Amino acid sequence: MPRARRRQSHALIHLVLGVGGLIMAFPFLWQIVMSLSTNAEVQSVTPTFWPEHLQWQNYAAVFQRLPFLSQLWTSVLITVIRTLAQIVLCTLAGYAFARMRFRGRAVLLGLVLSILLVPSQAYLISQYQIVQNLGWLNTLAGIVAPGLFSAYGTFLMRTAFLNLPAELEEAARIDGSGPLRTFWSVLLPVVRPSISVLAISAVLWSWNELLWPLVVSTRATQMPLSAALATLAGDVTVNYPVLMAASLLAMAPILILFILLQRRVIDGLASSGLK
Amino acid sequence: MPADVSESAPAPAAPATRRARRGVRRGDGLWPWAFVLPLLAGVGVFYIWPILQTAFYSFTTWGVFGGFKWSGLDNYGRLFTDPQLYRSLLNTLIYTAVVLLGVPIAAWLASLLNTPGLRFAQFYRVLFFLPYVAMPAAVALVWRMIFNGDYGILNWALSLFGIPGPSWVNTPGFALAAVSVVGLWSSLGFSMIVLAAGLKNIPPELYEAAELDGASRFRQFRSITLPLLAPSVFFVVVVTTIASFQLFDLLYALLGNHNAVLPKTMSLVYYFYSAGFVENDKGFAAAIAMVIFVLIGLVTLLQFRLQRRWAGNA
């Protein structure tokens, strides 16, 4: 194709992708604008595209008016604990299911994987009761508990270990390392890409999850950010710019992480297809 | 702390030299159990048992004080004559259909994104993927403002063309439309990235050969692109449908939990949530959960059937 024509068609493609990308980004940009406006500016019929004075104090108000810090802390704890637990438990189980022989392996694996086909509503009521009986309503333990275990993660890690050549273990054995050592220093490093996919999806899912925290936590200070924001949604006493600032701050950690690790996040999620 | 946990878990030591090939054939003794039991215990307690229990609950009626009694098929009888079930199912289907409209759009955008030598491709990928990773409860709040009937920017834009916009999230039909558009917006990037990866895997030599044979653009699309992209399309459609069937977060956060349009706009999962955790009608909610379970199972089954016929590889 002649260079001039090619440049022209590229311009068209940039136009389409640019406009599409702008639509994708618009709500975030608009949210930033609103978070820096006054309540009156947000509620004016002709939109205020740029606030007269940037209201940075809206961000300070998030911490003063809402129990934001404790909610943020809850979200961080839930996410960190679940992600670490999933990595440890799913890697161990995935390894055993992929490369070890034991009685009942196929049945147990089938049982774990069958959960993948079940929508979360099918266990929610009963999970709620278990947590209630344990006296864990409105506690971190209650919010965290079911999400420590992941069928998806087990599936992911099993696939990763299945794809390794048997020679790897054999070589380690000949070098005289025991099962634990082989697992830890020979096999784990090789499946690191899958572990990072597991970590990414655990973080995302944990941070954003709404339904479960909403049913087990009713006390504002014990809620993670997702449930807190959703509960505030219908509350007319909340100042809109402060609400916008709060929801931006709630998304910020994930969005920053995403932008820093974009390639890995996008490729990891796209190849695994969670959610 | 994480290192401690992972090192101590397989602690019950067994003879160390047996594993690998020979060991595998003979069985690995107690080792595998040390590896799988922590997960199995959790999965058993928090997933397998609850699923069985929910199935059982769907045949019981719950009193105010938490006791329940066996009531046979009562819940199902009540459910299937409840117009709200059909309303919620219809809303869920409409939402799913709108979100699936995003798949062809995503395919088109993916083909543009894959243009050889296109600059800023990574930047576009990030932009389109952004809504997918953003917290639904948080983005729904902005969309709520955008859709606001009095001072939302959408109605302002419409007013430039002389169109008076409705109060979107407070008008039944429009509320569902609003939720669907946000669902489309948030899932488009995911489909686009998966399809772009699928397109990239088609060897360019195929097109070159087709070109030499004088195949038209359309012919190339029909005989090369479509069949080779089918597995990716299938994957995207399955994942999107299953996720859409579980619509809850966006609906809850976009409409608020006291919205008067909810009965006309709620999804199946919202119906479940409201029966189980607002009305505290646990047996009835369990029956709704079973219906959702069966529906998702049927959709999955249907799609796998279709795939076998249409993509050729399982």
Side-chain angles (χ1 to χ4, degrees), chain B residues 168-191:
Chain B
W168 292 88
V169 300
N170 298 306
T171 318
F174 290 115
L176 187 62
V179 174
S180 308
V181 165
V182 179
L184 176 61
W185 169 81
S186 75
S187 66
L188 188 76
F190 175 77
S191 315

Side-chain angles (χ1 to χ4, degrees), chain A residues 6 10 13-14 16-18 20-28 30-31 34 42-47 49 84 88-90 92-93 95-97 99-103 108 111-112 114-115 117-131 134 136 145-147 149-150 154 166 169-170 173 178-180 182-184 187 204 207-211 214-215 225-226 229-231 233-234 240 243-244 247 250-251 254-255 258-259 262-263 265-267 269-275, chain B residues 2-3 5-7 9-10 15-25 27-29 31-36 38-43 45-51 53-54 57 62 108-109 112-113 115-120 122 124-139 141-146 148 150-153 156 184-185 188-190 192-194 235 239 243 246 248-249 252-253 256-257 269 272-273 276-277 282 285-286 289-290 292-293 296-297 300:
Chain A
R6 190 170 139 179
H10 271 211
I13 291 168
H14 279 299
V16 174
L17 290 175
L22 192 65
I23 295 174
M24 291 289 136
F26 175 75
F28 299 102
W30 191 230
Q31 196 170 21
M34 285 194 288
V42 167
Q43 297 184 62
S44 72
V45 174
T46 310
F49 288 97
L84 291 178
V88 172
L89 298 177
C90 297
L92 289 175
Y95 176 71
F97 279 130
R99 308 196 77 99
M100 290 170 143
R101 280 276 169 93
F102 53 98
R103 279 176 68 102
L108 292 172
L111 211 56
V112 173
S114 67
I115 300 169
L117 298 173
V118 181
S120 69
Q121 298 78 41
Y123 35 75
L124 208 66
I125 294 176
S126 185
Q127 282 180 346
Y128 176 85
Q129 285 193 309
I130 293 171
V131 166
L134 290 168
W136 285 356
F149 315 96
S150 164
T154 311
E169 280 159 302
E170 223 148 287
R173 190 173 54 91
L180 246 196
T182 312
F183 174 73
W184 184 255
L187 298 174
L204 258 187
W207 192 267
N208 292 340
E209 193 200 18
L210 177 62
L211 186 51
L214 204 60
V215 302
L225 290 167
S226 56
L229 287 176
T231 317
Y240 290 119
L243 192 55
M244 290 302 119
S247 51
M251 284 190 282
I254 294 294
L255 295 189
F258 167 58
I259 288 166
Q262 28 166 308
R263 218 170 268 269
V265 174
I266 294 178
D267 293 338
L269 286 183
S271 64
S272 71
L274 179 85
K275 204 164 174 174
Chain B
V5 173
S6 52
E7 272 168 357
T17 43
R18 295 207 317 245
R19 215 176 72 251
R21 266 280 159 75
R22 213 146 32 97
V24 163
R25 229 175 272 134
D28 292 275
W31 271 105
W33 293 104
F35 278 54
V36 294
L39 181 96
L40 283 180
V43 163
V45 170
F46 284 105
Y47 293 88
I48 306 285
W49 169 246
I51 292 168
Q53 206 174 26
T54 304
Y57 283 162
W62 289 61
W108 179 53
L109 292 171
L112 294 183
L113 190 70
T115 311
L118 187 78
R119 296 176 65 187
F120 310 122
Q122 181 62 18
Y124 291 128
R125 263 161 56 106
V126 171
L127 272 188
F128 279 88
F129 210 73
L130 207 56
Y132 183 76
V133 292
M135 182 190 285
V139 289
L141 292 178
V142 206
W143 281 100
R144 215 174 137 91
M145 298 301 285
I146 293 173
N148 187 289
D150 300 319
Y151 44 82
I153 193 169
W156 171 80
L184 176 61
W185 169 81
L188 188 76
F190 175 77
M192 181 176 158
I193 280 14
V194 174
F235 174 71
V239 171
Q246 305 197 51
F248 177 79
D249 298 16
Y252 185 91
N257 46 351
V269 173
F272 160 80
Y273 166 77
F277 297 97
K282 298 262 195 289
M290 287 298 117
I292 298 173
F293 177 26
I296 290 184
T300 315

Side-chain angles (χ1 to χ4, degrees), chain B residues 64-139:
Chain B
V64 203
F65 298 107
F68 59 84
K69 64 177 201 317
W70 181 261
S71 60
L73 289 171
D74 282 6
N75 288 324
Y76 291 98
R78 196 180 129 204
L79 188 58
F80 290 124
T81 52
D82 185 352
Q84 188 65 61
L85 173 73
Y86 301 100
R87 183 81 244 184
S88 308
L89 177 61
L90 183 67
N91 289 337
T92 305
L93 289 173
I94 292 172
Y95 173 83
T96 305
V98 174
V99 173
L100 283 177
L101 280 183
V103 176
I105 301 174
W108 179 53
L109 292 171
S111 72
L112 294 183
L113 190 70
N114 274 13
T115 311
L118 187 78
R119 296 176 65 187
F120 310 122
Q122 181 62 18
F123 175 67
Y124 291 128
R125 263 161 56 106
V126 171
L127 272 188
F128 279 88
F129 210 73
L130 207 56
Y132 183 76
V133 292
M135 182 190 285
V139 289

